[in-house]
Amino acid sequence: MLSNLSRRGLAALTTTVVVAGLITLWSTAAPAAPAVLEAESAALSGGARVESEHTGYSGAGYAGGFTDANRGNAKATFTTNATAGQNTLTLRYANGTGSTRTVTLSVNGSVRQVSLPATPGWASWGTVRQSVPLNAAGNSIAVSYGAGDNGNVNLDNITVEPAPVSAGDLEAESAQLSGGARVESEHAGYTGSGYVGGFTDVNRGAATATFTTAGGSAGSSELTLRYANGTGSTRSLSVSVNGAVRQVSLPATSSWAAWGTATAAVTLNAGANTIAISYGAGDSGNVNLDNIRLSTAVPTTTTTTTTNPPGPAGTYELETGFLSGGAVVATSPSGATGTGSVNLPGNGARVIRSINQTRAGNATVTLRHTNSSTRTVTLYVNGVKGAQLTLPGGTGWRTTTHSAALRSGLNLIGYHVTSGDTGGVQLDNIAVTNTAGLAVRGATVPYTTYETESGTGTRIAGRAYTTEAAEASGRSAMKLTGTGQYVQVTLTKPANAITVRAGLPDDASGNGTTAPLAVYVGGTKVRDLALTSKYSWMYGDYPFTAGPGGARPHRYFDDARVLLPQTYPAGTVLRLAKDTNATSYITVDLVEAEVVDGPTTAPAGYLSITDHGARADDGVDDSAALRSAVSAARGNAARGVWIPAGRFTLSSLVQVNGVDVRGAGIWHTVLLGANRRGGFYVNGADTTLADFTFDGDVTTRDPDGAPNSDAFIEGEFGTGSLIFNVAANHAKVGLWIKQADGLLASGMRIRNTMADGLNINGNTANVRVEQSDFRNTGDDALTMWSWESAGTVSRSVFAFNTVALPILANGVAIYGGTDNRAEDNLITDTVFNGSGVMLSTWHASMPFNGTTTVQRNTLTRTGTRNWDWHTHTGAVWLFAERSDITGAVVLRDLEINDSNYHGLLLSWNKAVRDLTVANVRINGTGGATESFDDGAGTVTNANSHGTYFYLMSGTGRFDGVTVSGLKGTGSRGMVNDENRYTVQRGSGNSGW
C-alpha cells in the first residue's frame, strides 16, 4: 500500500547563505506548547452531538452525529488563539467503517477536504495532520460532514501547534494535503512521524502536498525529495515552486521500505515561498513522499560564469522536436546538451518544438546554436510566420535571444529555413520564460478532468460490453434518474468553461433525445448544458445499422460544452443537476474544466471569410465563401485565411492547398457540418489548419466501400504542413491522411467519431502526431495502416497522446510499415474487439520492416473480449494474421495496469520472428470480473494470462518483465501453447 504525504509548514524560517562553501543554515524559534481543543466542548450543530459510547477518547467524550442523515449539516466549530503563521492541526478521530472516509475542514473560511483512513475499530483512535495558516487571535476552525463527503466518523479533539522545522527537512506528513494525498506509516524507514501516500492512479491530477516557507533569500536552490518507489520502474511527480512547474523523475527503489532521493533546481523568492508536490495529469505517480529539503541557495545577486549558461527558465531539447524538410539530428560538434543538435542545412528545413506556458504573453526565448558565420532562419509561432532571426557567427556554442508572443498552455516554436534565409546552422535547445514543462506521458492539455464521484444519483460500474458502465471513464459513472438529483465536483484550478461527458436514452424515432443539464455554482443556476443523444446509440453487428431498440446496444455517451458567466476560483463547487422531466435519466461520466481566453485576432495580411460572403450564426452554407477566400489567399503574400469567432456551416468538403486556414480558437470558431457532410480536403504542401472546432453531423457509420459522409480532414499532404489546436466531434473520421511527408499534427481534441480517430495510410513518411486527446472513437483511435493497395507508412510516430474509450478496436494500431513508433502515450479503457496497442499484418497490410517500437506507454484497463472470435485479447496484442511479423519489434518501458484480460498476447498460428521485450510491468490481469454471454456462451475472466503465446512461433528476448496481480481461474504468468515460441529469458524477470 502507498502512503500519504503531509507537509510541515515552516514558521519563521531563516536562511543564511555562505556562497564560497555553498552551506545553508536553517533556524527557527522554539515552538509553543500545543493546544488541545476537545470536540465535546466545541459548538455543535446540524445533528453533531456529544457521545461517550466508545472508549479511548480524551476529555469527557467525543463528537458523533457525523452520519448520513446529517450529511451537509453536522458540524463542530472551534474558536482559538494561536501563534500567528503556519501551524500544524491534528485531528484525532475514530473510523470503524473499514474504508477511508472524508470530512470538510474550514479554517477562517478556507475550505479543504480531509481524508481519514480506517481505524481498527470504533474504540481505536487515529490522527491526521494538516498544515494551516492561523492568526494570533480569533481563529474559527470547523470540522463538518459536507455535501461532498462520505463522513460517518467520530471526532475526539483537535490539537493546534506551531509548525516546527527539523534540520532543514520539511516532513511531508506535516504538509497541507489535498486531492487524496494522506498520511501513512505502513512502510518502515521514514523520518518524522510518517510519510505521505495517496499518489495513486485514482488521485491522478489531484493528489498534492503543499509546503510554505518563510524568511528565505531569493535565488537558485536545490530541492531534494526523499521518496520510496517500489513499483520497479521510474515514476514521476510534478514540483511547483511559486507556480513554476517542472516534472521530477523518481527512479525505482529496491522496495517500499527503501528510500531514495531526487533533486531539482528551483528558484526561490525572498520571504514566503509555496512548494507543491503533486501527482499531475501527465505524471506516472504511485510513489510515497517522506520529506523535502532546500539547500545550497545562491542569491540572485551572485554572478556565476559558465561557458554555456542555461536559459532563464525551462529548457527544451530541439533534437526531440519535429524535424522535416531535410532537418536532421547531428551528434557533432561536441558540447550539445541532451542527445545532440539539429542541423538545418537549407531551404525547407524546419524544426518545431512543443512547449507549455503558464500564462499568455510575451516570452523571452534563448536559442542555443553554432555556426561559423552569421546565418538567418525564420521564426514561426504556432504555425504563423514571424520575424527573420539573425544568428551571429563564431566558434563554439552561443546563444541568441528573441521574444515570442505565446498563449497559455501548449505552443509550437519553429525555426524554418525559408526562401529568404541562409540556413546552414545547428540548433541545440531553447530556454523559455514562464514555461511549465510538458507531461511525461500523455497529452499536455489545458483542462482538468474530474470524475463524477459524489452526488445524489446512482453509481453504475462494470466492464461488460453493451452496458453503460463499460463505456464510462474508469468504468463507472453517476446516473441521475430523479428530478433534482445531481453530481458535483470541486474545482482544483480556476475555470470558466466546462465540457461534460453524459448520456441520455435513445428514442424510437432515431432522432435522439434532447434535455438540459443545469449547472449550479453556490446554489445558483448559472447555465444549462444542451444534451442530445442524436450522435449516440448504435445496435447490432458491425457496421451497426440496426435501428433503435435493436440487439447489442452501445455508444452511450457524447460531449456537451458551455462557457460559464465568469472565471470561478479553485475550491468552487460545480453542481450538475437533472432539473427536467424531458428525459427519464441523465448519466454523467466526467467533467473537464478549463480557463478559456478571449478569441484571438487575425494575423497580419490574412483574408477573412466574411469578406467573401460568409456570415456567422445564420445557418446558411458558408462553403463557397471559404473556398473563395482560400483561392484568393494563394495569391496573397501572407497566404492565410481567417475564420473569425462565430458558428459557420460547411455542407461539403473544402479543398486547401498551400494556405493557412485559421480560426479564433476552438471555443470561439465553430464549423458545423450538415447532412453528414463538411470538412477539409488537403491536396498540397505547406498547408496549415489551426485554432477552430469542427462539429460534424454524422450519426451512423458507413458500410465499408460505400461512403456517404465526410472526414473532418482528409487528403494528400505535401511537405511542410501543420495541423494545430483543432477539435472535432461527430465526424466520420477525425483525420484520414492518405499521403504525406513531414506533417505535424499537435494539440488536437478528436472526439466521438463514427470510425477512426486518425488514420495514416498510403505512401506516407515522417508524420508526427503528438500532444492530442482522442476519446470515444468508433474504431482505432490512432492508426498507421500500410496496405497493399496504397503503400507503406514509414518513420512516423504517435507520441504524447491520450487515448480513452475507443468503443471498437484499439487505442493504437500499427498495421505493417517501416521504422514506426508509438511512445509516451496514455491509453485507457478499450471497450470492444480490440487492445490497448496492436501490431498486426491484418487488413491486407504490407510487411513490417526495420524496427517497430512501442515504448514508454501506460495502458490501463485495456484489452477486450472479442465477440466475433469469442476470445480474450491482450492489452498489447501482436497479431500475425495474413503473414508473419518478420521485422524487428521492440516493446520497452511499458506499464500495463489492470488489464481486462491478458497482458501481452501473441496470436496465432504464424510467427513473430524478432521480438525484444524489456522493462515491461504487467500489473494485474483479468480485471473484467463480470460474467456475461457473448453469443457463444458464458464469458468470465478465467485464463487471463500475463503473457500468452497462442499457438505462435518465433523468438523473443525478455528482460525486466514482471507479472503480478493475476485474477481469474486458471490465469498464469505465462502460457506458451505447445511450447512453439522460443522464449529467451534475460535478467530481472518475475511472476512468470
Side-chain angles (χ1 to χ4, degrees):
M1 177 184 292
L2 304 180
S3 50
N4 268 354
L5 166 68
S6 67
R7 153 188 100 146
R8 173 174 297 174
L10 298 185
L13 174 67
T14 62
T15 305
T16 302
V17 179
V18 181
V19 175
L22 293 177
I23 299 172
T24 304
L25 303 176
W26 304 76
S27 65
T28 184
V36 179
L37 309 179
E38 293 291 343
E40 67 272 18
S41 299
L44 304 180
S45 60
R49 60 185 178 270
V50 177
E51 296 179 352
S52 58
E53 175 185 2
H54 304 293
T55 61
Y57 53 82
S58 63
Y62 56 86
F66 296 97
T67 57
D68 289 343
N70 299 321
R71 176 188 273 123
N73 297 305
K75 180 185 296 187
T77 303
F78 306 78
T79 302
T80 185
N81 298 334
T83 300
Q86 208 68 21
N87 282 254
T88 298
L89 186 68
T90 303
L91 282 69
R92 190 171 191 261
Y93 69 95
N95 171 13
T97 67
S99 63
T100 298
R101 316 300 286 182
T102 60
V103 295
T104 295
L105 174 67
S106 172
V107 179
N108 296 326
S110 178
V111 178
R112 72 183 69 165
Q113 190 176 65
V114 178
S115 295
L116 306 178
T119 56
W122 289 108
S124 298
W125 300 84
T127 60
V128 296
R129 296 177 177 85
Q130 297 285 297
S131 182
V132 298
L134 295 177
N135 304 319
N139 297 284
S140 177
I141 302 171
V143 179
S144 62
Y145 187 172
D149 298 322
N150 56 11
N152 292 281
V153 297
N154 294 326
L155 180 65
D156 184 25
N157 62 47
I158 64 172
T159 302
V160 181
E161 59 184 321
V165 179
S166 174
D169 293 338
L170 313 184
E171 293 294 340
E173 67 273 17
S174 298
Q176 177 180 327
L177 305 181
S178 59
R182 59 186 179 271
V183 178
E184 295 180 352
S185 57
E186 176 185 3
H187 305 294
Y190 53 82
T191 61
S193 60
Y195 56 84
V196 171
F199 295 102
T200 55
D201 289 342
V202 70
N203 298 321
R204 176 185 275 121
T208 303
T210 304
F211 306 77
T212 302
T213 70
S217 301
S220 299
S221 186
E222 185 176 81
L223 176 67
T224 300
L225 284 69
R226 188 173 192 262
Y227 69 94
N229 172 11
T231 67
S233 64
T234 298
R235 317 298 285 186
S236 65
L237 292 175
S238 292
V239 174
S240 170
V241 179
N242 301 320
V245 182
R246 66 176 55 194
Q247 196 168 59
V248 176
S249 294
L250 307 175
T253 55
S254 58
S255 70
W256 288 110
W259 299 85
T261 59
T263 60
V266 298
T267 300
L268 300 179
N269 298 329
N273 291 271
T274 299
I275 301 171
I277 314 297
S278 62
Y279 186 173
D283 295 324
S284 51
N286 293 282
V287 298
N288 294 325
L289 181 65
D290 184 26
N291 62 48
I292 67 171
R293 172 182 287 241
L294 289 165
S295 59
T296 62
V298 179
T300 54
T301 54
T302 302
T303 301
T304 58
T305 302
T306 60
T307 304
N308 299 305
T315 298
Y316 298 86
E317 295 296 333
L318 292 177
E319 70 272 15
T320 60
F322 172 72
L323 282 62
S324 69
V328 294
V329 175
T331 56
S332 62
S334 61
T337 59
T339 59
S341 59
V342 175
N343 184 13
L344 299 182
N347 189 34
R350 61 176 180 160
V351 56
I352 302 174
R353 190 62 169 84
S354 51
I355 66 171
N356 183 29
Q357 293 301 99
T358 59
R359 60 180 182 268
N362 288 324
T364 299
V365 182
T366 302
L367 172 64
R368 191 167 189 254
H369 60 93
T370 182
N371 40 281
S372 58
S373 60
T374 299
R375 316 295 286 178
T376 60
V377 295
T378 295
L379 171 68
Y380 278 71
V381 176
N382 298 323
V384 177
K385 186 176 182 179
Q388 185 181 70
L389 303 178
T390 299
L391 307 181
T395 58
W397 292 96
R398 54 190 50 241
T399 59
T400 295
T401 299
H402 65 82
S403 64
L406 301 176
R407 61 187 68 179
S408 176
L410 188 71
N411 289 259
L412 300 179
I413 293 183
Y415 301 98
H416 298 212
V417 181
T418 67
S419 58
D421 296 316
T422 62
V425 299
Q426 282 183 235
L427 309 180
D428 182 22
N429 63 44
I430 55 173
V432 188
T433 57
N434 304 323
T435 199
L438 295 159
V440 168
R441 289 189 183 179
T444 298
V445 296
Y447 49 82
T448 301
T449 301
Y450 302 87
E451 299 288 348
T452 54
E453 300 296 338
S454 65
T456 60
T458 301
R459 175 156 301 283
I460 59 172
R463 305 189 194 184
Y465 181 58
T466 75
T467 65
E468 265 190 295
E471 296 183 22
S473 174
R475 307 305 175 99
S476 68
M478 291 286 281
K479 195 162 191 171
L480 311 181
T481 56
T483 302
Q485 287 190 336
Y486 64 86
V487 298
Q488 63 185 26
V489 299
T490 301
L491 297 180
T492 59
K493 296 179 180 178
N496 65 358
I498 58 172
T499 300
V500 176
R501 188 170 193 257
L504 298 176
D506 202 2
D507 71 347
S509 72
N511 295 320
T513 301
T514 60
L517 180 63
V519 183
Y520 287 83
V521 177
T524 301
K525 182 177 176 180
V526 297
R527 286 289 188 267
D528 272 327
L529 275 157
L531 306 182
T532 179
S533 65
K534 177 181 179 180
Y535 303 100
S536 306
W537 291 92
M538 289 181 167
Y539 304 87
D541 297 327
Y542 176 90
F544 317 120
T545 55
R552 289 170 57 169
H554 63 283
R555 195 179 181 95
Y556 298 103
F557 292 96
D558 196 13
D559 293 347
R561 68 181 191 178
V562 67
L563 287 168
L564 302 176
Q566 66 183 68
T567 298
Y568 296 100
T572 300
V573 176
L574 299 183
R575 176 173 291 187
L576 307 176
K578 180 183 180 295
D579 286 354
T580 177
N581 292 318
T583 178
S584 59
Y585 71 81
I586 300 174
T587 304
V588 184
D589 183 24
L590 58 81
V591 179
E592 294 168 344
E594 60 189 293
V595 173
V596 175
D597 296 328
T600 58
T601 56
Y606 278 45
L607 307 180
S608 176
I609 64 170
T610 59
D611 293 332
H612 291 261
R615 294 292 179 269
D617 307 310
D618 63 358
V620 176
D621 184 19
D622 298 296
S623 302
L626 181 52
R627 290 190 189 95
S628 175
V630 167
S631 178
R634 291 197 185 100
N636 179 282
R639 295 167 61 103
V641 171
W642 176 248
I643 310 176
R647 297 165 68 85
F648 300 89
T649 301
L650 295 184
S651 64
S652 57
L653 288 175
V654 175
Q655 290 196 0
V656 183
N657 181 347
V659 169
D660 181 354
V661 178
R662 186 173 295 268
I666 64 171
W667 279 84
H668 301 294
T669 297
V670 180
L671 306 178
L672 301 172
N675 300 317
R676 303 174 59 83
R677 297 294 185 179
F680 291 90
Y681 194 99
V682 177
N683 60 347
D686 298 317
T687 299
T688 295
L689 301 171
D691 291 334
F692 56 81
T693 288
F694 175 78
D695 194 354
D697 186 44
V698 183
T699 56
T700 58
R701 175 156 183 166
D702 298 337
D704 292 342
N708 64 356
S709 57
D710 291 330
F712 164 39
I713 299 173
E714 184 177 354
E716 297 93 2
F717 289 79
T719 59
S721 293
L722 172 68
I723 301 168
F724 175 62
N725 194 42
V726 295
N729 271 300
H730 311 137
K732 171 187 171 183
V733 173
L735 292 87
W736 189 267
I737 300 167
K738 296 195 288 190
Q739 190 279 324
D741 188 352
L743 167 67
L744 174 62
S746 180
M748 302 183 296
R749 305 185 199 185
I750 307 299
R751 309 262 175 91
N752 309 309
T753 58
M754 287 294 153
D756 294 4
L758 178 145
N759 190 309
I760 303 171
N761 53 79
N763 284 316
T764 298
N766 305 310
V767 173
R768 181 179 177 90
V769 179
E770 64 159 33
Q771 302 296 346
S772 296
D773 180 274
F774 298 80
R775 185 170 70 220
N776 202 42
T777 58
D779 213 313
D780 295 321
L782 284 163
T783 314
M784 299 181 200
W785 184 21
S786 301
W787 61 303
E788 58 187 9
S789 297
T792 297
V793 179
S794 60
R795 300 182 303 281
S796 294
V797 61
F798 297 145
F800 297 101
N801 300 294
T802 297
V803 173
L805 294 155
I807 61 171
L808 171 66
N810 310 284
V812 169
I814 301 177
Y815 302 104
T818 302
D819 292 324
N820 297 307
R821 310 193 313 274
E823 57 195 27
D824 304 298
N825 302 294
L826 294 177
I827 305 168
T828 60
D829 295 316
T830 53
V831 175
F832 175 60
N833 279 17
S835 60
V837 175
M838 170 191 270
L839 308 182
S840 181
T841 54
W842 199 11
H843 299 307
S845 74
M846 303 285 280
F848 283 89
N849 292 302
T851 300
T852 302
T853 303
V854 179
Q855 61 185 350
R856 300 187 306 275
N857 300 286
T858 299
L859 297 86
T860 303
R861 296 179 300 274
T862 55
T864 64
R865 179 68 175 180
N866 188 301
W867 285 45
D868 295 340
W869 303 332
H870 309 294
T871 58
H872 295 335
T873 65
V876 177
W877 185 12
L878 276 59
F879 180 31
E881 193 261 353
R882 71 179 304 203
S883 60
D884 296 345
I885 297 177
T886 55
V889 173
V890 175
L891 308 178
R892 180 168 54 212
D893 300 324
L894 304 180
E895 292 287 332
I896 301 174
N897 300 317
D898 192 16
S899 297
N900 294 316
Y901 298 105
H902 303 308
L904 170 61
L905 171 66
L906 281 72
S907 68
W908 77 286
N909 265 327
K910 290 187 173 62
V912 176
R913 299 195 179 280
D914 185 2
L915 173 64
T916 300
V917 184
N919 192 28
V920 172
R921 303 289 184 263
I922 300 174
N923 307 310
T925 67
T929 57
E930 297 168 282
S931 298
F932 58 91
D933 191 327
D934 69 351
T938 300
V939 177
T940 71
N941 64 344
N943 301 309
S944 296
H945 308 307
T947 299
Y948 185 20
F949 303 98
Y950 181 31
L951 297 173
M952 289 295 294
S953 61
T955 301
R957 166 83 184 197
F958 295 77
D959 292 271
V961 178
T962 63
V963 178
S964 62
L966 301 177
K967 296 181 180 178
T969 303
S971 299
R972 291 188 280 167
M974 188 267 282
V975 171
N976 188 354
D977 282 348
E978 300 179 3
N979 289 320
R980 291 191 191 183
Y981 203 79
T982 301
V983 176
Q984 298 177 343
R985 290 178 177 267
S987 61
N989 300 305
S990 66
W992 59 285

